Amino acid sequence: MQLDTNSIDNHNQSRLNAHKNKLSYWADEVEKAEATIQKLIDFQIAIPSWALGTGGTRFGRFAGGGEPRNLEEKIADVGLLHALNRSSGAISLHIPWDIPTDPKAIQELAGQYGLAFDAVNSNTFQDQSDQSLSYKFGSLQHTDAAVRQQAIDHNIEVIRHGEALGSKALTVWLSDGSSFPGQLNFRKAFQRTLDSLGEIYAALPSDWKMFVEYKAFEPNFYSMTVGDWGSSFLYASKLGPKAYTLVDLGHHLPNANIEQIVAILLNEGKLGGFHFNDSKYGDDDLTAGSIKPYQLFLIFNELIEGMDARGMNHASSLGWMIDASHNVKDPLEDLLQSVEAIQLAYAQALLVDRVALEEAREANDVAQAQEILQDAFRTDVRPLVAEARLRVGGALQPLALYRSLNMRQQLIGERGAKAVATGL
Ligand code: RM4
Ligand code: MN
Ligand code: MN
């Protein structure tokens, strides 16, 4: 479904005065505001192809209707998000959930919506019906070389799909591990996984990156073979310069200091990508910023500081993606909320007075350092984020416009109430 520009114009027109009023708060700090707005305009967050349908838990799934039935419809959904917020300009595919059978046509379609293809994701955590060997006891770590080879071949096939679409990175998330003490020889599992990853790495095109994503638990509950940032960093370091660690916010043990992890990885030049979501207990995959917005801000604070220290480009040096699941909300509304929360945290972190913060740190002025961070965090940057959207043709309030146009009803009309998207 293409959103016609008139709807956006009318919406913006009707809210323009109220918006300008809020923006006038920044009149005394135009330079700061302008720099932030420009950075927000450049910042794009990829949408995963598996997050456009209703998610579920192992207990059940309550579909909301109008879900995309194929890759073309998923691209249309991301196109709709991007038309509304102008910040969701890329889609990340999961293979084999979303195989682009006609890559040229798919690329063309994405191009019509102004979308690029972000990292491609492999899947060796499920068995497919046409698959000869099972991943029940792991994939790249498996004791049987034939299973490892099957998983390696799958990853290489995923790279080929990505190449045909213009992707530049492969994300490998492994569910490999063990569920009971004694099940696995940890050293052998590590070495086999490293060797298998090495074969995939060797098949990477020269301008590609490989992201090694870690996760502390689930689906294996005793050990995960890529279980924390330390092991991911080890794999990435041993693999070579094209391999990086990917941080998924929900993949840590409770209360982990993710901002510190980010700082260290950036310092080592080994942070490659990000999966945004939020959680209360584990890999809850909730809307970004819905539970711990201060943590999200602190993470962005380290991201900016670390990227600036290395002369990295905020918009393009790392892979930014949402990795969420929505079991009670409309997926598109949820994704709009996530993108907005990420932009708010980014904008607030851009406002941190870094010179003053460094001075306070050097002087061991703990209270002042806290003041500086909280001052930025407590600033209402919503008008800046809205202004960034307005300048590039997006909606002042994407979610409100989505609702007022009855988008979900329209999608149900097009696709039916029982349409179910592939994914988790
Ligand atoms: C995993 C991990 C991966 C994602 C799958 C669907 O927990 O976050 O990034 O591809 O879920
Ligand atoms: Mn993830
Ligand atoms: Mn996850």
Side-chain angles (χ1 to χ4, degrees):
M1 184 181 1
Q2 291 271 16
L3 187 63
D4 82 285
T5 50
N6 277 343
S7 321
I8 298 185
D9 288 347
N10 293 340
H11 161 90
N12 287 346
Q13 218 39 53
S14 68
R15 289 165 196 256
L16 202 57
N17 280 341
H19 167 64
K20 292 285 174 207
N21 273 341
K22 287 183 189 149
L23 197 65
S24 64
Y25 167 85
W26 292 92
D28 295 338
E29 292 187 279
V30 173
E31 224 172 283
K32 218 188 231 181
E34 283 301 321
T36 307
I37 291 167
Q38 195 47 55
K39 288 228 156 72
L40 285 167
I41 288 173
D42 295 342
F43 199 71
Q44 298 293 318
I45 303 143
I47 305 293
S49 66
W50 63 101
L52 297 155
T54 314
T57 67
R58 67 184 196 270
F59 299 102
R61 187 177 196 264
F62 304 93
E67 295 185 16
R69 294 162 296 184
N70 49 45
L71 181 52
E72 286 80 357
E73 291 181 353
K74 290 182 178 185
I75 289 172
D77 276 10
V78 181
L80 176 59
L81 295 176
H82 190 47
L84 289 164
N85 67 17
R86 292 276 135 215
S87 299
S88 309
I91 178 166
S92 181
L93 300 192
H94 223 299
I95 308 290
W97 289 337
D98 289 297
I99 293 180
T101 36
D102 183 349
K104 271 245 149 333
I106 288 295
Q107 218 178 6
E108 233 176 78
L109 181 69
Q112 286 166 20
Y113 292 103
L115 304 178
F117 287 90
D118 204 71
V120 276
N121 302 260
S122 57
N123 179 344
T124 60
F125 47 86
Q126 294 174 324
D127 284 347
Q128 308 302 324
S129 52
D130 58 350
Q131 186 181 312
S132 46
L133 302 167
S134 173
Y135 294 133
K136 181 171 181 180
F137 298 109
S139 58
L140 298 185
Q141 73 166 21
H142 206 282
T143 49
D144 181 351
V147 179
R148 300 201 294 274
Q149 193 58 50
Q150 178 182 281
I152 292 165
D153 292 343
H154 164 68
N155 273 276
I156 294 173
E157 191 192 315
V158 174
I159 296 175
R160 302 293 165 246
H161 283 304
E163 272 188 292
L165 294 172
S167 289
K168 292 288 174 214
L170 169 74
T171 300
V172 182
W173 174 67
L174 299 174
S175 64
D176 292 36
S178 63
S179 277
F180 295 95
Q183 183 186 334
L184 201 63
N185 180 316
F186 297 139
R187 286 186 304 103
K188 280 188 186 169
F190 181 91
Q191 196 53 49
R192 285 174 178 146
T193 303
L194 180 62
D195 293 345
S196 307
L197 284 171
E199 299 217 22
I200 300 164
Y201 185 90
L204 280 181
S206 59
D207 59 344
W208 271 53
K209 292 177 180 174
M210 181 197 267
F211 298 149
V212 183
E213 181 174 358
Y214 59 91
K215 182 170 177 176
F217 63 93
E218 198 203 15
N220 273 296
F221 289 111
Y222 174 63
S223 75
M224 290 287 277
T225 298
V226 193
D228 56 20
W229 72 275
S231 12
S232 166
F233 177 73
L234 207 54
Y235 286 111
S237 302
K238 286 175 185 277
L239 285 168
K242 288 187 277 181
Y244 296 85
T245 293
L246 182 139
V247 174
D248 180 313
L249 295 181
H251 287 191
H252 303 85
L253 292 174
N255 304 327
N257 188 334
I258 303 173
E259 52 270 31
Q260 187 181 15
I261 294 172
V262 165
I264 295 170
L265 286 172
L266 269 173
N267 199 45
E268 294 300 318
K270 276 298 192 187
L271 181 63
F274 237 84
H275 282 180
F276 293 105
N277 48 53
D278 210 342
S279 58
K280 180 91 176 142
Y281 301 106
D283 195 27
D284 306 355
D285 280 339
L286 301 175
T287 322
S290 61
I291 309 270
K292 292 172 287 198
Y294 191 46
Q295 183 191 55
L296 189 58
F297 160 79
L298 293 173
I299 289 168
F300 264 106
N301 183 48
E302 294 302 333
L303 283 168
I304 291 172
E305 143 128 17
M307 282 194 285
D308 288 353
R310 297 184 70 88
M312 293 163 78
N313 182 307
H314 294 185
S316 58
S317 295
L318 297 184
W320 305 113
M321 208 187 80
I322 291 174
D323 187 3
S325 173
H326 340 271
N327 38 12
V328 292
K329 283 195 263 176
D330 175 332
L332 295 179
E333 294 195 353
D334 198 341
L335 287 162
L336 288 172
Q337 290 180 316
S338 274
V339 172
E340 176 107 19
I342 294 164
Q343 290 177 303
L344 293 173
Y346 177 44
Q348 288 168 329
L350 284 168
L351 296 179
V352 170
D353 184 341
R354 288 184 193 282
V355 177
L357 180 60
E358 233 15 73
E359 272 169 24
R361 286 168 168 174
E362 290 297 319
N364 296 309
D365 191 342
V366 184
Q368 181 61 9
Q370 180 186 332
E371 285 294 301
I372 291 166
L373 285 189
Q374 291 188 343
D375 183 44
F377 177 65
R378 287 171 179 154
T379 308
D380 185 0
V381 292
R382 288 175 297 177
L384 299 182
V385 173
E387 177 67 15
R389 277 195 294 267
L390 183 68
R391 290 198 192 171
V392 285
L396 277 173
Q397 292 183 21
L399 183 51
L401 178 56
Y402 175 86
R403 286 195 165 193
S404 71
L405 294 174
N406 280 322
M407 290 307 225
R408 181 52 61 186
Q409 271 320 111
Q410 289 191 48
L411 291 171
I412 291 175
E414 264 177 36
R415 301 167 181 171
K418 295 232 152 61
V420 174
T422 49
L424 276 185

